[in-house]
Each structure stands twice: as structure tokens, then as C-alpha cells.
Coordinates of all heavy atoms in Angstrom, one line a residue:
A1 N 160.0 -41.4 7.5 CA 160.9 -42.0 8.5 C 161.8 -40.8 9.0 O 162.4 -40.1 8.2 CB 161.8 -43.1 7.9
D2 N 162.0 -40.7 10.3 CA 162.8 -39.7 10.8 C 163.8 -40.4 11.8 O 163.4 -41.1 12.7 CB 162.0 -38.7 11.6 CG 162.8 -37.6 12.2 OD1 163.9 -37.4 11.7 OD2 162.3 -36.9 13.1
S3 N 165.1 -40.3 11.5 CA 166.2 -40.9 12.3 C 166.1 -42.4 12.4 O 166.3 -43.0 13.4 CB 166.2 -40.3 13.7 OG 166.5 -38.9 13.6
A4 N 165.6 -43.0 11.3 CA 165.4 -44.5 11.2 C 166.7 -45.2 10.7 O 167.5 -44.6 10.1 CB 164.2 -44.8 10.4
S5 N 166.7 -46.5 11.0 CA 167.7 -47.4 10.4 C 166.9 -48.4 9.6 O 166.1 -49.2 10.1 CB 168.5 -48.0 11.5 OG 169.5 -48.9 10.9
I6 N 167.1 -48.4 8.3 CA 166.3 -49.2 7.3 C 167.3 -50.1 6.6 O 168.2 -49.6 5.9 CB 165.5 -48.3 6.4 CG1 164.5 -47.5 7.2 CG2 164.8 -49.2 5.4 CD1 163.9 -46.4 6.3
T7 N 167.0 -51.4 6.6 CA 167.8 -52.3 5.8 C 166.9 -52.9 4.8 O 165.9 -53.6 5.2 CB 168.4 -53.4 6.7 OG1 169.3 -52.8 7.7 CG2 169.2 -54.4 5.9
G8 N 167.1 -52.7 3.5 CA 166.2 -53.1 2.5 C 165.8 -52.0 1.7 O 166.2 -50.8 1.9
S9 N 165.0 -52.2 0.6 CA 164.6 -51.2 -0.3 C 163.5 -50.3 0.3 O 162.7 -50.8 1.1 CB 164.3 -51.7 -1.7 OG 163.2 -52.7 -1.5
V10 N 163.5 -49.1 -0.2 CA 162.4 -48.2 0.1 C 161.7 -47.8 -1.2 O 162.4 -47.2 -2.0 CB 162.9 -46.9 0.9 CG1 161.7 -45.9 1.1 CG2 163.5 -47.3 2.2
L11 N 160.4 -48.0 -1.3 CA 159.7 -47.7 -2.5 C 158.5 -46.9 -2.2 O 157.6 -47.4 -1.4 CB 159.3 -48.9 -3.3 CG 158.4 -48.7 -4.5 CD1 158.9 -47.9 -5.5 CD2 158.0 -50.1 -5.0
A12 N 158.3 -45.7 -2.7 CA 157.1 -44.9 -2.6 C 156.6 -44.7 -4.0 O 157.3 -44.1 -4.8 CB 157.4 -43.6 -1.8
D13 N 155.4 -45.2 -4.2 CA 154.9 -45.1 -5.6 C 153.5 -44.5 -5.4 O 152.6 -45.1 -4.7 CB 154.8 -46.5 -6.2 CG 154.4 -46.4 -7.7 OD1 154.6 -45.4 -8.3 OD2 153.9 -47.4 -8.2
C14 N 153.2 -43.4 -6.1 CA 151.9 -42.7 -6.1 C 151.6 -42.2 -4.7 O 150.4 -42.2 -4.3 CB 150.8 -43.7 -6.6 SG 151.1 -44.1 -8.3
A15 N 152.5 -41.8 -3.9 CA 152.3 -41.4 -2.5 C 151.9 -39.9 -2.6 O 152.1 -39.2 -3.5 CB 153.5 -41.5 -1.7
A16 N 151.1 -39.5 -1.5 CA 150.8 -38.1 -1.4 C 151.9 -37.3 -0.6 O 152.0 -36.1 -0.7 CB 149.5 -38.0 -0.6
F17 N 152.6 -38.0 0.3 CA 153.6 -37.4 1.1 C 154.7 -38.5 1.3 O 154.5 -39.5 1.8 CB 153.0 -37.0 2.4 CG 154.0 -36.4 3.4 CD1 154.3 -35.1 3.3 CD2 154.5 -37.2 4.4 CE1 155.2 -34.5 4.2 CE2 155.4 -36.6 5.3 CZ 155.8 -35.3 5.2
V18 N 156.0 -38.0 1.1 CA 157.1 -38.9 1.4 C 158.2 -38.0 2.1 O 158.5 -37.0 1.6 CB 157.7 -39.5 0.1 CG1 159.0 -40.3 0.4 CG2 156.7 -40.3 -0.7
A19 N 158.7 -38.5 3.2 CA 159.8 -37.8 3.9 C 160.7 -38.7 4.5 O 160.3 -39.5 5.3 CB 159.2 -36.8 4.9
L20 N 162.0 -38.7 4.2 CA 163.0 -39.5 4.8 C 164.1 -38.5 5.3 O 164.6 -37.7 4.6 CB 163.7 -40.4 3.8 CG 162.9 -41.6 3.3 CD1 163.6 -42.3 2.1 CD2 162.5 -42.6 4.3
T21 N 164.2 -38.4 6.6 CA 165.1 -37.4 7.3 C 166.0 -38.0 8.3 O 165.6 -38.8 9.2 CB 164.2 -36.4 8.0 OG1 163.3 -35.9 7.0 CG2 165.0 -35.3 8.6
G22 N 167.3 -37.8 8.2 CA 168.3 -38.2 9.2 C 168.4 -39.7 9.4 O 168.7 -40.2 10.5
S23 N 168.1 -40.4 8.3 CA 168.0 -41.9 8.4 C 169.3 -42.6 7.8 O 169.9 -42.0 6.9 CB 166.7 -42.5 7.8 OG 165.6 -42.0 8.5
H24 N 169.5 -43.8 8.2 CA 170.5 -44.6 7.6 C 169.8 -45.8 6.8 O 169.1 -46.5 7.4 CB 171.5 -45.2 8.6 CG 172.3 -44.2 9.3 ND1 173.5 -43.8 8.8 CD2 172.1 -43.5 10.4 CE1 174.0 -42.9 9.5 NE2 173.2 -42.7 10.6
I25 N 170.0 -45.8 5.5 CA 169.3 -46.7 4.6 C 170.3 -47.6 3.9 O 171.1 -47.0 3.2 CB 168.4 -45.9 3.6 CG1 167.4 -45.0 4.4 CG2 167.6 -46.9 2.8 CD1 166.8 -43.9 3.7
T26 N 170.2 -48.8 4.1 CA 171.0 -49.8 3.3 C 170.1 -50.5 2.3 O 169.4 -51.4 2.6 CB 171.7 -50.8 4.3 OG1 172.4 -50.1 5.3 CG2 172.6 -51.7 3.6
G27 N 170.2 -50.0 1.1 CA 169.3 -50.5 0.1 C 168.9 -49.3 -0.8 O 169.1 -48.2 -0.5
P28 N 168.3 -49.6 -1.9 CA 167.9 -48.6 -2.8 C 166.7 -47.8 -2.4 O 165.8 -48.4 -1.6 CB 167.6 -49.3 -4.1 CG 167.2 -50.7 -3.7 CD 168.0 -51.0 -2.5
V29 N 166.6 -46.6 -2.8 CA 165.4 -45.7 -2.5 C 164.8 -45.3 -3.8 O 165.6 -44.8 -4.7 CB 165.8 -44.5 -1.7 CG1 164.6 -43.6 -1.5 CG2 166.4 -44.9 -0.3
Q30 N 163.5 -45.5 -4.0 CA 162.8 -45.0 -5.2 C 161.6 -44.3 -4.9 O 160.7 -44.8 -4.1 CB 162.5 -46.2 -6.1 CG 161.8 -45.8 -7.4 CD 161.6 -46.9 -8.4 OE1 162.4 -47.0 -9.3 NE2 160.6 -47.7 -8.2
I31 N 161.4 -43.1 -5.3 CA 160.2 -42.2 -5.2 C 159.7 -41.9 -6.5 O 160.4 -41.3 -7.3 CB 160.5 -41.0 -4.3 CG1 161.1 -41.4 -3.0 CG2 159.3 -40.1 -4.2 CD1 161.5 -40.2 -2.2
A32 N 158.5 -42.4 -6.8 CA 157.9 -42.3 -8.1 C 156.5 -41.9 -8.1 O 155.7 -42.3 -7.2 CB 158.0 -43.6 -8.9
S33 N 156.1 -41.0 -9.0 CA 154.7 -40.6 -9.2 C 154.0 -40.0 -7.9 O 152.8 -40.1 -7.7 CB 153.9 -41.7 -9.7 OG 154.4 -42.2 -10.9
T34 N 154.8 -39.3 -7.1 CA 154.3 -38.6 -5.9 C 153.5 -37.4 -6.3 O 153.9 -36.7 -7.3 CB 155.5 -38.2 -5.0 OG1 156.1 -39.5 -4.5 CG2 155.0 -37.5 -3.8
T35 N 152.4 -37.1 -5.7 CA 151.6 -35.9 -6.0 C 151.6 -34.8 -5.0 O 151.1 -33.7 -5.2 CB 150.1 -36.4 -6.2 OG1 149.7 -37.0 -5.0 CG2 150.0 -37.4 -7.4
G36 N 152.2 -35.0 -3.9 CA 152.4 -34.0 -2.8 C 153.8 -33.7 -2.5 O 154.6 -33.5 -3.4
T37 N 154.2 -33.7 -1.3 CA 155.5 -33.4 -0.9 C 156.4 -34.7 -1.0 O 156.1 -35.7 -0.5 CB 155.5 -32.9 0.6 OG1 154.6 -31.8 0.7 CG2 156.9 -32.6 1.1
A38 N 157.7 -34.4 -1.4 CA 158.7 -35.4 -1.4 C 160.0 -34.8 -0.9 O 160.4 -33.8 -1.5 CB 158.9 -36.0 -2.8
A39 N 160.6 -35.4 0.1 CA 161.8 -34.8 0.7 C 162.7 -35.9 1.3 O 162.3 -36.8 1.9 CB 161.4 -33.8 1.9
L40 N 164.0 -35.8 0.9 CA 165.0 -36.7 1.4 C 166.1 -35.7 1.9 O 166.8 -35.0 1.1 CB 165.6 -37.5 0.3 CG 164.8 -38.7 -0.1 CD1 163.7 -38.4 -1.1 CD2 165.8 -39.8 -0.7
T41 N 166.2 -35.6 3.2 CA 167.2 -34.7 3.8 C 168.0 -35.3 4.9 O 167.5 -36.0 5.8 CB 166.5 -33.5 4.4 OG1 165.5 -33.9 5.3 CG2 165.7 -32.7 3.3
G42 N 169.4 -35.1 4.8 CA 170.2 -35.6 5.8 C 170.4 -37.1 6.0 O 170.7 -37.5 7.1
N43 N 170.2 -37.9 5.0 CA 170.2 -39.3 5.1 C 171.6 -39.9 4.6 O 172.2 -39.2 3.8 CB 169.1 -40.0 4.2 CG 167.7 -39.5 4.6 OD1 167.2 -39.9 5.6 ND2 167.1 -38.7 3.7
T44 N 171.9 -41.0 5.1 CA 173.0 -41.8 4.5 C 172.4 -43.0 3.8 O 171.7 -43.8 4.4 CB 174.0 -42.2 5.6 OG1 174.6 -41.1 6.2 CG2 175.2 -43.0 5.0
V45 N 172.7 -43.1 2.5 CA 172.1 -44.2 1.7 C 173.2 -45.0 1.1 O 174.0 -44.5 0.3 CB 171.1 -43.7 0.6 CG1 170.5 -44.8 -0.1 CG2 170.0 -42.8 1.3
T46 N 173.1 -46.3 1.3 CA 174.0 -47.2 0.6 C 173.2 -47.9 -0.4 O 172.5 -48.9 -0.1 CB 174.7 -48.2 1.5 OG1 175.4 -47.5 2.5 CG2 175.7 -49.1 0.8
G47 N 173.2 -47.4 -1.6 CA 172.3 -47.9 -2.7 C 171.9 -46.7 -3.6 O 172.2 -45.6 -3.2
A48 N 171.2 -47.0 -4.7 CA 170.8 -46.0 -5.6 C 169.6 -45.2 -4.9 O 168.8 -45.8 -4.2 CB 170.3 -46.6 -6.9
V49 N 169.5 -43.9 -5.3 CA 168.4 -43.1 -5.0 C 167.8 -42.5 -6.3 O 168.5 -41.9 -7.1 CB 168.8 -41.9 -4.1 CG1 167.7 -41.0 -3.8 CG2 169.4 -42.4 -2.8
L50 N 166.6 -42.9 -6.5 CA 165.9 -42.5 -7.8 C 164.7 -41.8 -7.5 O 163.8 -42.3 -6.8 CB 165.7 -43.8 -8.6 CG 166.8 -44.7 -8.9 CD1 166.4 -46.0 -9.6 CD2 167.8 -44.0 -9.8
L51 N 164.5 -40.6 -8.1 CA 163.2 -39.9 -8.1 C 162.8 -39.7 -9.6 O 163.5 -39.2 -10.4 CB 163.4 -38.5 -7.5 CG 163.5 -38.5 -6.0 CD1 164.9 -38.8 -5.5 CD2 163.1 -37.1 -5.5
H52 N 161.6 -40.2 -9.9 CA 161.1 -40.1 -11.3 C 159.6 -39.9 -11.3 O 158.9 -40.4 -10.5 CB 161.6 -41.2 -12.1 CG 161.2 -42.5 -11.7 ND1 160.0 -43.1 -12.2 CD2 161.7 -43.5 -11.0 CE1 159.8 -44.3 -11.7 NE2 160.8 -44.6 -10.9
D53 N 159.2 -39.0 -12.3 CA 157.8 -38.8 -12.6 C 157.0 -38.3 -11.4 O 155.8 -38.6 -11.4 CB 157.2 -40.1 -13.2 CG 158.0 -40.5 -14.5 OD1 158.4 -39.6 -15.2 OD2 158.2 -41.8 -14.6
N54 N 157.6 -37.5 -10.6 CA 156.8 -36.9 -9.5 C 156.3 -35.6 -9.9 O 156.9 -34.8 -10.6 CB 157.8 -36.7 -8.3 CG 158.3 -38.0 -7.7 OD1 157.5 -38.8 -7.2 ND2 159.6 -38.2 -7.8
M55 N 155.0 -35.4 -9.7 CA 154.3 -34.2 -10.1 C 153.8 -33.5 -8.8 O 152.7 -33.8 -8.4 CB 153.1 -34.5 -11.0 CG 153.5 -35.3 -12.3 SD 154.0 -34.3 -13.7 CE 152.6 -33.4 -14.1
T56 N 154.6 -32.7 -8.2 CA 154.4 -32.1 -6.9 C 154.1 -30.6 -7.0 O 154.6 -29.9 -7.9 CB 155.5 -32.3 -6.0 OG1 156.7 -31.8 -6.6 CG2 155.8 -33.8 -5.7
P57 N 153.3 -30.0 -6.1 CA 153.1 -28.6 -6.1 C 154.3 -27.7 -5.9 O 154.4 -26.6 -6.3 CB 152.0 -28.4 -5.1 CG 152.1 -29.5 -4.2 CD 152.6 -30.7 -5.0
F58 N 155.3 -28.3 -5.1 CA 156.6 -27.6 -4.9 C 157.7 -28.6 -5.2 O 157.5 -29.8 -5.2 CB 156.7 -27.2 -3.4 CG 155.5 -26.4 -2.9 CD1 154.5 -27.0 -2.1 CD2 155.5 -25.1 -3.1 CE1 153.4 -26.3 -1.7 CE2 154.4 -24.3 -2.7 CZ 153.4 -24.9 -2.0
A59 N 158.8 -28.1 -5.5 CA 160.0 -28.9 -5.9 C 160.3 -29.9 -4.8 O 160.3 -29.5 -3.6 CB 161.2 -28.0 -6.2
S60 N 160.6 -31.1 -5.2 CA 161.0 -32.1 -4.2 C 162.4 -31.7 -3.7 O 163.2 -31.1 -4.4 CB 161.2 -33.5 -4.9 OG 160.0 -34.0 -5.4
V61 N 162.7 -31.9 -2.4 CA 163.9 -31.5 -1.8 C 164.8 -32.7 -1.6 O 164.4 -33.7 -0.9 CB 163.6 -30.8 -0.4 CG1 164.9 -30.4 0.2 CG2 162.8 -29.5 -0.6
V62 N 166.0 -32.7 -2.2 CA 167.0 -33.7 -2.0 C 168.2 -33.0 -1.5 O 169.0 -32.4 -2.3 CB 167.3 -34.5 -3.3 CG1 168.3 -35.5 -3.1 CG2 165.9 -35.0 -3.9
S63 N 168.5 -32.9 -0.2 CA 169.5 -32.1 0.4 C 170.3 -32.8 1.5 O 169.7 -33.5 2.3 CB 168.9 -30.8 0.8 OG 168.1 -30.9 1.9
G64 N 171.6 -32.5 1.6 CA 172.4 -32.9 2.7 C 172.5 -34.4 2.9 O 172.9 -34.9 4.0
N65 N 172.3 -35.2 1.8 CA 172.4 -36.6 1.9 C 173.8 -37.1 1.5 O 174.5 -36.4 0.7 CB 171.4 -37.3 0.9 CG 169.9 -36.9 1.2 OD1 169.4 -37.3 2.2 ND2 169.3 -36.1 0.4
T66 N 174.2 -38.2 2.0 CA 175.3 -38.9 1.5 C 174.9 -40.2 0.8 O 174.2 -41.0 1.5 CB 176.3 -39.3 2.7 OG1 176.7 -38.1 3.4 CG2 177.5 -40.0 2.2
V67 N 175.1 -40.3 -0.5 CA 174.6 -41.4 -1.2 C 175.8 -42.2 -1.8 O 176.7 -41.7 -2.5 CB 173.8 -40.9 -2.5 CG1 173.3 -42.1 -3.3 CG2 172.6 -40.0 -2.0
H68 N 175.9 -43.5 -1.4 CA 176.9 -44.4 -1.9 C 176.2 -45.2 -3.0 O 175.8 -46.4 -2.8 CB 177.4 -45.3 -0.8 CG 178.0 -44.6 0.4 ND1 179.4 -44.3 0.4 CD2 177.5 -44.0 1.5 CE1 179.6 -43.6 1.5 NE2 178.5 -43.5 2.2
G69 N 176.2 -44.6 -4.2 CA 175.5 -45.2 -5.3 C 175.0 -44.1 -6.2 O 175.4 -42.9 -6.1
L70 N 174.2 -44.4 -7.2 CA 173.6 -43.5 -8.1 C 172.6 -42.6 -7.5 O 171.8 -43.1 -6.7 CB 173.0 -44.3 -9.2 CG 172.1 -43.5 -10.3 CD1 173.0 -42.7 -11.2 CD2 171.3 -44.5 -11.1
L71 N 172.6 -41.3 -7.8 CA 171.5 -40.4 -7.5 C 171.0 -39.9 -8.9 O 171.7 -39.2 -9.6 CB 172.1 -39.2 -6.7 CG 171.1 -38.0 -6.4 CD1 169.9 -38.5 -5.7 CD2 171.7 -36.9 -5.7
G72 N 169.8 -40.4 -9.2 CA 169.2 -40.1 -10.5 C 167.8 -39.6 -10.4 O 167.0 -40.1 -9.6
C73 N 167.5 -38.6 -11.2 CA 166.2 -37.9 -11.2 C 165.8 -37.7 -12.6 O 166.6 -37.1 -13.4 CB 166.2 -36.6 -10.4 SG 166.7 -36.8 -8.7
S74 N 164.6 -38.0 -13.0 CA 164.1 -37.7 -14.3 C 162.5 -37.5 -14.3 O 161.9 -38.1 -13.5 CB 164.5 -38.8 -15.3 OG 163.9 -40.0 -14.9
G75 N 162.1 -36.7 -15.2 CA 160.7 -36.5 -15.3 C 159.9 -35.9 -14.2 O 158.7 -36.0 -14.1
N76 N 160.6 -35.3 -13.3 CA 159.9 -34.6 -12.1 C 159.5 -33.2 -12.5 O 160.3 -32.4 -13.1 CB 160.9 -34.6 -10.9 CG 161.3 -36.0 -10.5 OD1 160.5 -36.7 -10.0 ND2 162.6 -36.3 -10.8
T77 N 158.3 -32.8 -12.1 CA 157.8 -31.5 -12.3 C 157.3 -30.9 -11.0 O 156.3 -31.5 -10.5 CB 156.7 -31.5 -13.4 OG1 157.1 -32.1 -14.6 CG2 156.1 -30.1 -13.7
P78 N 157.9 -29.8 -10.5 CA 159.2 -29.3 -11.0 C 160.4 -30.1 -10.6 O 160.3 -31.1 -9.9 CB 159.2 -27.9 -10.2 CG 158.4 -28.1 -9.0 CD 157.3 -29.2 -9.3
A79 N 161.5 -29.7 -11.1 CA 162.8 -30.5 -10.9 C 163.1 -30.3 -9.4 O 162.9 -29.3 -8.7 CB 163.9 -29.9 -11.7
P80 N 163.7 -31.4 -8.9 CA 164.2 -31.4 -7.4 C 165.2 -30.2 -7.2 O 165.9 -29.8 -8.1 CB 164.8 -32.8 -7.2 CG 164.2 -33.6 -8.3 CD 164.0 -32.7 -9.5
V81 N 165.3 -29.8 -5.9 CA 166.2 -28.8 -5.5 C 167.0 -29.3 -4.2 O 166.5 -30.3 -3.6 CB 165.5 -27.5 -5.1 CG1 164.9 -26.9 -6.4 CG2 164.5 -27.6 -4.0
N82 N 168.1 -28.6 -3.9 CA 168.7 -29.0 -2.6 C 168.7 -27.9 -1.6 O 169.3 -28.0 -0.5 CB 170.2 -29.4 -2.9 CG 171.1 -28.3 -3.4 OD1 170.7 -27.1 -3.4 ND2 172.3 -28.6 -3.8
D83 N 168.0 -26.8 -1.9 CA 167.8 -25.8 -0.9 C 169.1 -25.2 -0.4 O 169.2 -24.8 0.8 CB 166.9 -26.1 0.3 CG 165.4 -26.1 -0.1 OD1 165.1 -25.6 -1.2 OD2 164.6 -26.6 0.6
G84 N 170.2 -25.3 -1.2 CA 171.4 -24.7 -0.8 C 172.3 -25.7 0.0 O 173.4 -25.3 0.5
V85 N 171.8 -26.9 0.3 CA 172.6 -27.9 1.0 C 173.0 -29.0 0.1 O 172.1 -29.9 -0.1 CB 171.8 -28.3 2.3 CG1 172.6 -29.3 3.1 CG2 171.3 -27.2 3.1
P86 N 174.1 -29.0 -0.4 CA 174.5 -30.1 -1.4 C 174.5 -31.5 -0.8 O 174.8 -31.7 0.4 CB 175.9 -29.6 -1.9 CG 176.4 -28.6 -1.0 CD 175.2 -28.1 -0.2
N87 N 174.4 -32.4 -1.7 CA 174.5 -33.8 -1.4 C 175.9 -34.3 -1.7 O 176.6 -33.7 -2.5 CB 173.5 -34.7 -2.3 CG 172.1 -34.3 -2.0 OD1 171.5 -34.7 -1.0 ND2 171.5 -33.5 -2.9
T88 N 176.4 -35.3 -1.0 CA 177.6 -35.9 -1.3 C 177.3 -37.2 -1.9 O 176.6 -38.1 -1.3 CB 178.5 -36.1 0.0 OG1 178.7 -34.9 0.6 CG2 179.8 -36.8 -0.3
V89 N 177.8 -37.4 -3.2 CA 177.4 -38.6 -3.9 C 178.7 -39.4 -4.3 O 179.6 -38.8 -5.0 CB 176.7 -38.3 -5.2 CG1 176.3 -39.5 -6.0 CG2 175.4 -37.5 -4.8
Y90 N 178.8 -40.6 -3.8 CA 179.9 -41.5 -4.2 C 179.4 -42.5 -5.3 O 179.1 -43.6 -5.0 CB 180.4 -42.2 -3.0 CG 181.0 -41.4 -1.9 CD1 180.2 -41.0 -0.8 CD2 182.3 -40.8 -2.0 CE1 180.7 -40.2 0.2 CE2 182.8 -40.0 -1.1 CZ 182.0 -39.7 0.0 OH 182.5 -38.8 1.0
G91 N 179.3 -41.9 -6.4 CA 178.7 -42.6 -7.6 C 178.3 -41.5 -8.6 O 178.8 -40.4 -8.5
A92 N 177.5 -41.8 -9.5 CA 177.0 -40.8 -10.5 C 175.8 -40.1 -10.0 O 174.9 -40.6 -9.4 CB 176.8 -41.5 -11.8
A93 N 175.8 -38.8 -10.3 CA 174.5 -38.0 -10.1 C 174.1 -37.6 -11.6 O 174.8 -37.1 -12.4 CB 174.8 -36.7 -9.3
T94 N 172.8 -38.0 -11.9 CA 172.4 -37.9 -13.3 C 171.0 -37.2 -13.4 O 170.3 -37.0 -12.4 CB 172.2 -39.3 -13.9 OG1 171.2 -40.0 -13.3 CG2 173.5 -40.1 -13.9
G95 N 170.8 -36.7 -14.6 CA 169.5 -36.1 -14.9 C 169.3 -34.9 -14.1 O 170.2 -34.0 -13.9
Q96 N 168.1 -34.7 -13.6 CA 167.7 -33.5 -12.8 C 168.5 -33.4 -11.5 O 168.5 -32.3 -10.9 CB 166.2 -33.5 -12.5 CG 165.4 -33.4 -13.8 CD 163.9 -33.6 -13.5 OE1 163.5 -34.6 -12.8 NE2 163.0 -32.7 -13.9
C97 N 169.1 -34.4 -11.1 CA 169.9 -34.4 -9.8 C 171.4 -34.2 -10.0 O 172.2 -34.2 -9.1 CB 169.7 -35.7 -9.0 SG 168.0 -35.8 -8.2
R98 N 171.8 -34.0 -11.3 CA 173.2 -33.9 -11.6 C 173.9 -32.8 -10.8 O 175.0 -33.0 -10.4 CB 173.3 -33.6 -13.1 CG 174.7 -33.4 -13.6 CD 174.8 -33.2 -15.1 NE 173.6 -32.7 -15.7 CZ 172.9 -33.4 -16.6 NH1 173.3 -34.5 -17.0 NH2 171.8 -32.8 -17.1
D99 N 173.2 -31.7 -10.5 CA 173.9 -30.6 -9.9 C 173.5 -30.4 -8.4 O 173.7 -29.3 -7.8 CB 173.6 -29.3 -10.6 CG 174.3 -29.3 -12.0 OD1 175.4 -29.9 -12.1 OD2 173.7 -28.7 -12.9
L100 N 172.8 -31.4 -7.8 CA 172.3 -31.3 -6.5 C 173.4 -31.7 -5.5 O 173.3 -31.5 -4.3 CB 171.0 -32.1 -6.2 CG 169.8 -31.7 -7.1 CD1 168.6 -32.5 -6.7 CD2 169.5 -30.2 -6.9

């Protein structure tokens, strides 16, 4: 989704490619067991953002997002990165996303 407005949850499970860019999301976002690219960049999310158990050839990118809720990452190989563009989190940032 690019520059989308989404009301409701976003779930990507066992996807080959996931990209959310410049979107407004009202609801939780969960990306799990992705095998290709996973990127969340420049979004505003009202709800939890969870990335877990993704096994991607390159680090998942979680950058420049504003998250009103939990930002949690666990079990991702390699660990997610923010490519030097930090996220703003109004809630807890945990696990592999603690310093993003």
C-alpha cells in the first residue's frame, strides 16, 4: 500500500513481499513469516505494529513511522533496521525494534 488510508487490521502472513509506505493505518499491523522483502516506511499507525519470525534475505526496514501503540519485533532474521530514519513511538518499543 502506498499513500493509502486503511481502517482495520493489516495482517501479512507468509508473504513474499510486504510494503506499507506513506499510509495512515487505524488498526494493528502484523507482519509474520515473510520470506522476501518487508518494509514499513513513513506511515502513521494508530495501533500496535508487530514484526515476528520473518526470515528475509535483507533486513526488514521499519523507518520514519509514527506509531501510536506498541512497536514490537521478535524472531526476525536478520533483525529489522531503520536505515538511519528513526520511528516516533507513542507507546513501548520492544525486542528487536527497541532502538529503531
Side-chain angles (χ1 to χ4, degrees):
D2 183 19
S3 300
S5 180
I6 300 169
T7 301
S9 61
V10 175
L11 170 62
D13 189 25
C14 297
F17 177 84
V18 178
L20 293 170
T21 305
S23 295
H24 292 275
I25 303 160
T26 304
V29 175
Q30 179 173 263
I31 299 174
S33 303
T34 297
T35 57
T37 300
L40 281 82
T41 57
N43 301 291
T44 299
V45 181
T46 303
V49 175
L50 305 172
L51 282 81
H52 60 88
D53 302 323
N54 298 292
M55 305 270 298
T56 56
F58 305 101
S60 298
V61 177
V62 181
S63 66
N65 300 291
T66 300
V67 179
H68 298 273
L70 171 71
L71 173 60
C73 300
S74 64
N76 300 290
T77 304
V81 298
N82 68 9
D83 283 347
V85 182
N87 298 282
T88 302
V89 181
Y90 297 100
T94 64
Q96 294 171 309
C97 284
R98 180 180 19 247
D99 297 323
L100 298 184

